[in-house]
Amino acid sequence: VNAQSHHLVETAQELYETAPCGYVSTLADGTIVAVNATFLAWTGFSKDDVLVSKRIQDLLGVPARIFYETQFLPLLQMQGRVKEVAFDILRPNAPPLPVLLNAVQRVDSTTGEIVIHCALFDATDRRKYEAELLRSRRELEAEVNRRTSELEAEVAVRKLAEEDLQQTTSKLLHLRDEERRALARELHDSVGQLLSALSMNIALVSAESSKLSPRAAAAVQENSNFVTQISSEIRTISHLLHPPLLEELGLASALRWLVDGLSERANIEIALEVDADLSRLSPQMELTIFRIVQEALTNVHRHSGSLTARVSVELAADAVTVRVEDQGRGVPANLSAGVGLRGMRERVKQFGGSFALNSSPRGTTVTVVLPGPPSHQTPAGS
Ligand SMILES: Nc1ncnc2c1ncn2[C@@H]1O[C@H](COP(=O)(O)OP(=O)(O)OP(=O)(O)O)[C@@H](O)[C@H]1O
Ligand SMILES: [Mg+2]
């Protein structure tokens, strides 16, 4: 043995003792036959504490011991080596030391005995990181869950509010229809009756107009004209409130009457295009279409400033398309829907149809498609 190789042996020995990992060698049954200084320093054992008097299993907790014998050893026998298995080494006067253990199994060339060499790496920091990682993952999960249920709650609340609004709109529409019907009847029955009484009285007075001064006679004649005008106004108002033409003559005539009346009164030129055969539509659908056109045209008159408009009702095999367009200023950017638009939407929804409002500074178009077959339509839920 020359000086240099002697030096190398010393270096190897020193490396073994002070390596930055613990070395433990055992026999096949686990009996500890060699340990390095690093291992002793980490655990606080002395050489005498462990050499021959202890098996490596004695340094493990019960579950780890079972794992060692049932999993670790068979694997080691099968593969000759095992890598990076996590263990906690029990030590006197200190909490267990978390380690990662690599092991190789050798057969001693002289004795023929099995020896197991283990290298143990201190995994304290690594466990800490892992625990930290796990903790922040759990926190993240909890945060995600919390946010998810918050959002779910928000969605539920919003949905409730929407349903509420929908119900209110639908109730409002129904009430408005009812009220219009009642007003129409009231106008016809009470004001209408009074007017006919008035007109009869005027007729009586007119019959004796020869006894009046010319001025008085002219006034009576004027009154007679006023009564005729008022009657006609009231008829128009009551028909707008509740269109009797719809029931008697059908949608096409009712729309014609509506469009003509509005053209004249509001001074808007309104074109009406209605498909020839609307007779297949149900009364509910006719009323829905009439109300939508009426509301849309009222909006044109009140908001668009347009001098022209166009109404069309097209009948296809499986759908009715209603379109009301104007060439006005368009809806404002900060549009807040009133009962009109919401009502149209609601009416359309009851038929399972679609509603679209397209608007630009050059005009507005309301398009409603009600699905067919148009023959036996009834609103959903009624
Ligand atoms: N054809 C149109 N041209 C321009 N603006 C329109 C038109 N139709 C609707 N708008 C705008 O949309 C708004 C909402 O219309 P909506 O019919 O819902 O309510 P409203 O007409 O104001 O009141 P109401 O409840 O009596 O109908 C209107 O106030 C108006 O600003
Ligand atoms: Mg309106």
Side-chain angles (χ1 to χ4, degrees):
V1 176
N2 62 33
Q4 199 182 5
S5 68
H6 177 75
H7 177 71
L8 276 177
V9 168
E10 252 187 11
T11 309
Q13 182 64 28
E14 190 186 328
L15 182 60
Y16 174 79
E17 290 294 351
T18 64
C21 57
Y23 289 128
V24 178
S25 301
T26 74
L27 302 178
D29 69 353
T31 304
I32 296 172
V33 292
V35 292
N36 72 346
T38 305
F39 178 80
L40 296 176
W42 281 355
T43 56
F45 287 120
S46 73
K47 248 183 185 161
D48 292 341
D49 288 338
V50 286
L51 280 190
V52 187
S53 58
K54 275 201 169 58
R55 296 177 311 154
I56 194 161
Q57 295 94 308
D58 300 330
L59 305 183
L60 303 175
V62 175
R65 203 177 301 160
I66 292 171
F67 174 79
Y68 182 87
E69 276 167 5
T70 62
Q71 315 277 324
F72 183 86
L73 275 184
L75 201 63
L76 184 59
Q77 265 154 31
M78 227 162 56
Q79 302 183 155
R81 61 181 61 239
V82 174
K83 279 176 76 180
E84 298 197 349
V85 179
F87 281 111
D88 286 343
I89 302 293
L90 302 179
R91 47 186 175 171
N93 310 321
L97 175 72
V99 296
L100 282 180
L101 188 151
N102 291 350
V104 287
Q105 181 171 290
R106 287 282 155 74
V107 180
D108 192 298
S109 51
T110 47
T111 62
E113 232 180 330
I114 285 178
V115 187
I116 299 168
H117 297 302
C118 302
L120 290 70
F121 297 90
D122 186 345
T124 311
D125 290 346
R126 190 179 162 136
R127 292 278 173 91
K128 238 188 273 169
Y129 298 144
E130 280 170 358
E132 186 73 10
L133 215 59
L134 205 66
R135 199 178 53 77
S136 45
R137 207 180 98 182
R138 290 226 179 90
E139 270 174 18
L140 197 68
E141 265 172 18
E143 178 62 19
V144 168
N145 285 341
R146 199 181 56 74
R147 196 66 196 115
T148 304
S149 49
E150 246 177 44
L151 283 176
E152 275 168 0
E154 270 172 41
V155 168
V157 166
R158 202 167 295 179
K159 210 168 143 195
L160 265 183
E162 247 165 51
E163 274 166 17
D164 209 44
L165 183 63
Q166 223 170 64
Q167 270 184 16
T168 311
T169 306
S170 157
K171 234 183 269 171
L172 196 63
L173 283 178
H174 183 70
L175 281 177
R176 203 156 81 163
D177 281 352
E178 281 299 299
E179 203 172 44
R180 280 173 169 176
R181 197 188 299 264
L183 264 176
R185 201 183 312 115
E186 196 66 16
L187 273 177
H188 178 268
D189 291 356
S190 77
V191 182
Q193 296 309 320
L194 282 174
L195 276 176
S196 15
L198 182 59
S199 125
M200 279 188 267
N201 279 352
I202 289 175
L204 263 179
V205 178
S206 295
E208 301 187 19
S209 60
S210 53
K211 297 174 190 170
L212 299 174
S213 70
R215 252 185 86 208
V220 170
Q221 184 51 48
E222 214 178 352
N223 275 1
S224 170
N225 293 342
F226 285 156
V227 169
T228 310
Q229 265 179 44
I230 293 173
S231 293
S232 136
E233 290 276 314
I234 282 183
R235 234 175 86 84
T236 305
I237 293 172
S238 109
H239 286 186
L240 276 173
L241 287 170
H242 181 66
L245 280 171
L246 199 53
E247 278 144 42
E248 290 158 20
L249 302 176
L251 182 61
S253 306
L255 287 178
R256 168 56 55 203
W257 171 79
L258 177 73
V259 162
D260 286 349
L262 201 70
S263 293
E264 198 182 306
R265 266 177 290 121
N267 199 21
I268 302 176
E269 199 178 298
I270 307 173
L272 176 66
E273 287 166 32
V274 174
D275 262 2
D277 183 20
L278 287 181
S279 59
R280 284 183 289 154
L281 300 182
S282 71
Q284 288 103 315
M285 199 167 219
E286 289 200 322
L287 182 62
T288 295
I289 294 173
F290 183 86
R291 287 297 189 213
I292 287 170
V293 172
Q294 188 179 27
E295 178 57 41
L297 283 179
T298 306
N299 278 351
V300 171
H301 170 45
R302 278 175 53 196
H303 308 299
S304 76
S306 179
L307 295 176
T308 50
R310 184 171 159 273
V311 177
S312 70
V313 181
E314 284 166 32
L315 202 59
D318 55 357
V320 190
T321 305
V322 182
R323 197 169 280 126
V324 178
E325 46 196 285
D326 66 59
Q327 286 69 44
R329 64 175 70 96
V331 302
N334 55 344
L335 168 74
S336 67
V339 176
L341 291 179
R342 256 193 291 138
M344 285 192 244
R345 277 210 176 85
E346 188 56 35
R347 285 184 203 275
V348 168
K349 201 167 160 198
Q350 287 178 348
F351 279 92
S354 69
F355 173 92
L357 179 77
N358 292 303
S359 188
S360 79
R362 269 168 290 115
T364 303
T365 305
V366 168
T367 309
V368 165
V369 179
L370 300 171
S375 35
H376 301 105
Q377 281 291 326
T378 42
S382 73

